[in-house]
Amino acid sequence: MTMDSTVLSEPGTGDSVRYPLDPLSGSEIESAARIISGSEYGTPTLKFVMIQLAEPDKNAELTFDPAIPVPRRAFVTMYDAAAKMIYEAVVDVLAGTVDAWTAIPGRFPSYLVEHMIGVEEKVREDPRWQEAMRKRGVTDFSLAMIDPWPAGYYGAQDHYDNSALVCRPLTFMRAAPSEHGYARPVEGLIVTFDLDAMEVIDIEDHGVVPLPPTAGNYAEEFMFDPNNRPAFTEFRSDVKPIEITQPDGPSFTVDGWQVRWQKWAMRIGFNPREGITLHEVSYTDRGETRPIMYRASLSEMVVPYGDSSPTHWNKNVFDMGEVGMGFSANPLRLGCDCLGEIHYFDGTVNDSDGNAVVIPNAICMHEEDYGISWKHTDFRTEEVEVRRSRRLVISMICTVGNYEYGFFWYFYNDASIEVEVKLSGVLTTGAIEDGEQPRWGKMVAPGIYGPNHQHFFNFRLDMSIDGPGNTVYEVDSIPEPDPARNPHHNAWITQDTVVASESDGARDWNWSTGRYWKVANPSKINELGQPVAYKLTPKDVVPVMVQEGSHIYDRARFVQHNLWVTKYDPAERFAAGDYMYQSADVQGLPEFIADDAPLEDTDVVLWYTVGAHHVVRPEDWPVMPCAYTGFHLKPVGFFDGNPALDIPPSPPKACHQH
């Protein structure tokens, strides 16, 4: 296998001019922190939550002239625990100035780095926690695994003037230092922890449930232990190597953060909250560069749990807004996470003191064969024409506590785009008395169950179909409504409904009509006299189980509709709002559409939510095989025919037996 990789710690740095949309380099991150710390705003208790590029304003050309300098500005969010206040700043890292400073009262920040690593030790030292563990027969506290779960929302006590930033850690027990801790959840024990003071506030103990009796290890060192569940005697012996080779190298080219692949061009970005961002996505059609999306990224995600048990009911984690996908990105490994001719981009984030932290290989880019693109056999002449599909893959994998989320952007050589989320990792588990069955979950092993839960991911797609003036249509397939035209009861038509203003912008999928949504440019007409367009088609749609009256219903209103359409506003970035931690306020998309802005022939943004409905299985234990969800973007009249017609034929090749 050829696995030649290129690692770029800070693409485009050095003497070269940075493009206005390039992520901040490590030196720029540290400069921004240093400028603030040395200004009138700096205090000894000020901590840096996120430092990222303050993206320049979008212009009519939807791109930037590299010859025209644009200031390099950082957008910085900070938290001062002493003042219990979030601050936002815009810093010109070249001029050394703080250009804007704003206090954000009544909100709480996402996690700081020390929150993730410091909570466990403090809880382990608490005598009340130790007493609760002794009741469960645990005396070796060093083997406890304590996850600092975001607070969720218990009620008004979680959010009032001068309240503490809190989390609610959950405890699991290992039987050995490297064992699978989630196999032994400590049921009914909840800690309330003050992240400002870094101390335990309260311990709730809802009664002792025995620790589950069996191990659930999946690492190689435990695989053949007969006490493990499930246990195996050996690895499969019939898995033959698959070699991915590109003798002439990959087909893509990379210049800093700009990527060109076949007819696609785009710029890649990265920041602590969203992780991967994509910018200036375009396609070259017969020599003309045609814009498709100005910016695309994950906007928010939430994981509501459907279990009323004391340890589980408040689990409603916004893994992006409360933790950060960029912070959670894995350093990816050749041959395991990615296969083939790989190009890596490092991700650079910050710690709470403003130091730059590099995540090596945070973004993986490679090509994949994807089967047949198109084929036809003329049975009369026996002439065969077939072309193979190929896609460019841009991905990252994030670990947030027990779960892994893979975010994959696929660009195909037929000009379509696919977004796929891969879910793996480990279930968050509950313990149950021997002989009982869980009401709000399913058993996965003796004494262990997985609660019913869902995952929802909202993607923000700033569309620019052949330019900035776009209109969105909802397209339904319906039986021919005129009986006189449908004498055989077989005819059907498509019906386009314009999404005219933001009051109509919250849309739901309809299985019975095969609904999809189309983004058209009324100013660009194809040879058939129709506006050029792309369509968004669902891949998997799941029912939303979040119910009105629950705290999560208001905190995550974006899950209530499959698609939201808004008029572009640079301040509207996140589907659940900027700061949802420890707050029950309605934020985000319901606020964005409240002004009922007109949406026809304007700069539109699509916010699409995909879901995963997880009723767990024993086969999900002890580590989950990947589940998949996502959506497609496909051209509709954007081209005059099949854009993959010019793919060259593949030369015949022998297989192993021939």
Side-chain angles (χ1 to χ4, degrees):
M1 180 186 307
T2 302
M3 295 191 297
D4 183 23
S5 67
T6 302
V7 177
L8 301 178
S9 295
E10 293 182 6
T13 56
D15 297 330
S16 63
V17 176
R18 295 183 68 82
Y19 191 76
L21 296 175
D22 286 353
L24 294 181
S25 67
S27 60
E28 290 175 320
I29 287 171
E30 293 181 349
S31 292
R34 187 166 55 250
I35 292 164
I36 290 173
S37 297
S39 74
E40 61 185 296
Y41 305 108
T43 69
T45 52
L46 192 67
K47 294 291 185 180
F48 295 95
V49 182
M50 294 183 183
I51 304 175
Q52 57 192 291
L53 179 71
E55 295 178 16
D57 293 339
K58 185 194 298 189
N59 57 46
E61 289 73 32
L62 301 176
T63 188
F64 295 89
D65 184 345
I68 300 175
V70 175
R72 292 287 291 174
R73 293 192 173 99
F75 178 69
V76 185
T77 53
M78 296 146 286
Y79 181 63
D80 192 328
K84 299 195 185 302
M85 184 69 71
I86 291 175
Y87 299 99
E88 295 178 348
V90 177
V91 178
D92 189 320
V93 296
L94 297 179
T97 57
V98 179
D99 294 348
W101 183 269
T102 307
I104 311 294
R107 298 293 182 197
F108 296 89
S110 56
Y111 276 171
L112 301 173
V113 173
E114 57 261 36
H115 293 162
M116 300 300 292
I117 60 178
V119 170
E120 184 169 77
E121 203 55 47
K122 293 292 185 181
V123 171
R124 191 180 281 122
E125 295 170 356
D126 187 83
R128 293 165 293 179
W129 177 86
Q130 292 180 357
E131 179 59 27
M133 296 301 289
R134 288 190 187 97
K135 290 179 181 178
R136 291 160 170 82
V138 175
T139 56
D140 186 353
F141 304 135
S142 68
L143 294 174
M145 194 174 77
I146 302 163
D147 282 5
W149 274 71
Y153 190 73
Y154 268 27
Q157 70 271 21
D158 277 353
H159 189 186
Y160 54 88
D161 290 341
N162 211 37
S163 63
L165 174 64
V166 300
C167 71
R168 292 195 168 88
L170 299 177
T171 304
F172 305 84
M173 282 303 303
R174 300 183 191 269
S178 60
E179 211 198 25
H180 183 15
Y182 295 112
R184 294 184 178 87
V186 178
E187 189 68 31
L189 180 61
I190 307 169
V191 180
T192 302
F193 192 92
D194 184 338
L195 292 166
D196 292 335
M198 290 301 287
E199 63 184 22
V200 175
I201 299 174
D202 188 33
I203 299 287
E204 296 176 46
D205 192 341
H206 295 270
V208 174
V209 176
L211 295 175
T214 58
N217 296 303
Y218 52 85
E220 182 178 352
E221 62 183 297
F222 297 105
M223 186 63 65
F224 311 118
D225 182 346
N227 296 317
N228 204 42
R229 184 181 180 88
F232 297 93
T233 57
E234 61 181 2
F235 286 119
R236 302 180 189 190
S237 59
D238 56 352
V239 180
K240 306 301 183 184
I242 293 179
E243 296 187 356
I244 310 297
T245 62
Q246 293 182 269
D248 298 327
S251 303
F252 55 73
T253 60
V254 181
D255 180 10
W257 292 90
Q258 185 181 52
V259 173
R260 297 185 183 276
W261 179 72
Q262 297 191 22
K263 297 184 175 185
W264 288 104
M266 68 202 73
R267 306 196 71 93
I268 296 176
F270 186 87
N271 65 61
R273 182 162 179 164
E274 297 163 290
I276 291 175
T277 58
L278 299 176
H279 308 260
E280 297 185 6
V281 178
S282 64
Y283 194 90
T284 299
D285 175 32
R286 291 172 290 190
E288 179 188 2
T289 298
R290 304 177 68 184
I292 294 172
M293 286 191 298
Y294 182 75
R295 191 183 193 277
S297 69
L298 178 71
S299 165
E300 191 51 82
M301 66 163 293
V302 67
V303 190
Y305 280 76
D307 186 336
S308 285
S309 302
T311 322
H312 305 287
W313 75 267
N314 68 309
K315 291 179 177 176
N316 300 294
V317 184
F318 296 81
D319 284 332
M320 182 179 142
E322 295 182 329
V323 180
M325 281 299 155
F327 282 133
S328 305
N330 289 187
L332 301 175
R333 299 197 304 169
L334 279 167
C336 299
D337 298 304
C338 307
L339 194 62
E341 294 279 346
I342 310 299
H343 185 101
Y344 286 118
F345 296 88
D346 289 5
T348 306
V349 296
N350 61 279
D351 67 16
S352 61
D353 293 324
N355 300 307
V357 178
V358 175
I359 303 172
N361 302 358
I363 299 173
C364 170
M365 183 173 68
H366 66 289
E367 294 175 276
E368 289 180 348
D369 179 272
Y370 199 66
I372 294 173
S373 175
W374 56 267
K375 177 176 181 174
H376 183 63
T377 299
D378 187 325
F379 71 89
R380 293 179 175 85
T381 66
E382 297 186 357
E383 293 178 344
V384 179
E385 290 286 346
V386 60
R387 301 293 188 271
R388 293 202 64 79
S389 178
R390 190 180 293 188
R391 65 187 185 186
L392 180 71
V393 184
I394 301 170
S395 64
M396 70 175 180
I397 300 174
C398 304
T399 299
V400 187
N402 52 296
Y403 257 100
E404 262 72 26
Y405 300 108
F407 298 97
F408 289 73
W409 295 83
Y410 300 129
F411 295 85
Y412 292 87
N413 49 12
D414 66 354
S416 62
I417 303 169
E418 181 183 5
V419 176
E420 185 173 68
V421 182
K422 300 182 182 182
L423 299 90
S424 187
V426 177
L427 298 170
T428 184
T429 51
I432 194 165
E433 294 277 4
D434 185 40
E436 291 188 8
Q437 290 293 319
R439 181 172 179 82
W440 303 292
K442 299 296 181 184
M443 299 295 293
V444 296
I448 309 173
Y449 78 98
N452 299 334
H453 63 283
Q454 297 182 298
H455 303 255
F456 292 102
F457 307 85
N458 182 271
F459 289 87
R460 180 182 181 273
L461 309 172
D462 184 351
M463 305 304 292
S464 55
I465 302 300
D466 244 357
N470 290 178
T471 301
V472 178
Y473 297 88
E474 188 167 82
V475 183
D476 293 300
S477 296
I478 61 172
E480 168 59 60
D482 183 352
R485 297 184 177 188
N486 193 17
H488 308 293
H489 306 285
N490 69 316
W492 54 277
I493 64 172
T494 59
Q495 179 175 275
D496 289 10
T497 303
V498 66
V499 183
S501 71
E502 288 182 335
S503 63
D504 297 323
R507 314 303 300 179
D508 294 312
W509 186 64
N510 187 344
W511 176 86
S512 67
T513 63
R515 178 171 291 171
Y516 62 86
W517 295 277
K518 181 173 65 176
V519 185
N521 187 328
S523 302
K524 299 292 181 70
I525 306 301
N526 62 24
E527 67 177 2
L528 303 176
Q530 303 162 343
V532 300
Y534 261 70
K535 69 176 181 178
L536 189 156
T537 59
K539 183 177 179 181
D540 293 298
V541 178
V542 303
V544 177
M545 305 307 292
V546 171
Q547 300 147 47
E548 189 169 2
S550 66
H551 292 305
I552 194 60
Y553 181 90
D554 285 334
R555 299 181 70 216
R557 285 286 180 96
F558 70 88
V559 308
Q560 297 300 316
H561 299 283
N562 303 111
L563 179 75
W564 303 67
V565 185
T566 64
K567 185 175 181 179
Y568 170 78
D569 183 331
E572 296 174 356
R573 291 273 297 277
F574 306 116
D578 293 344
Y579 304 104
M580 77 291 299
Y581 197 102
Q582 218 167 303
S583 172
D585 298 345
V586 176
Q587 300 180 57
L589 282 165
E591 293 182 313
F592 300 166
I593 68 171
D595 61 351
D596 195 22
L599 293 176
E600 294 185 75
D601 194 11
T602 190
D603 194 350
V604 299
V605 177
L606 304 185
W607 310 72
Y608 185 68
T609 300
V610 298
H613 187 77
H614 202 172
V615 179
V616 305
R617 313 167 296 151
E619 292 84 355
D620 291 326
W621 187 255
V623 63
M624 293 180 291
C626 274
Y628 304 86
T629 187
F631 63 93
H632 289 266
L633 292 167
K634 296 184 177 182
V636 181
F638 193 81
F639 300 99
D640 297 330
N642 181 353
L645 205 62
D646 59 351
I647 298 174
S650 303
K653 287 195 175 182
C655 71
H656 180 65
Q657 282 119 350
H658 298 89

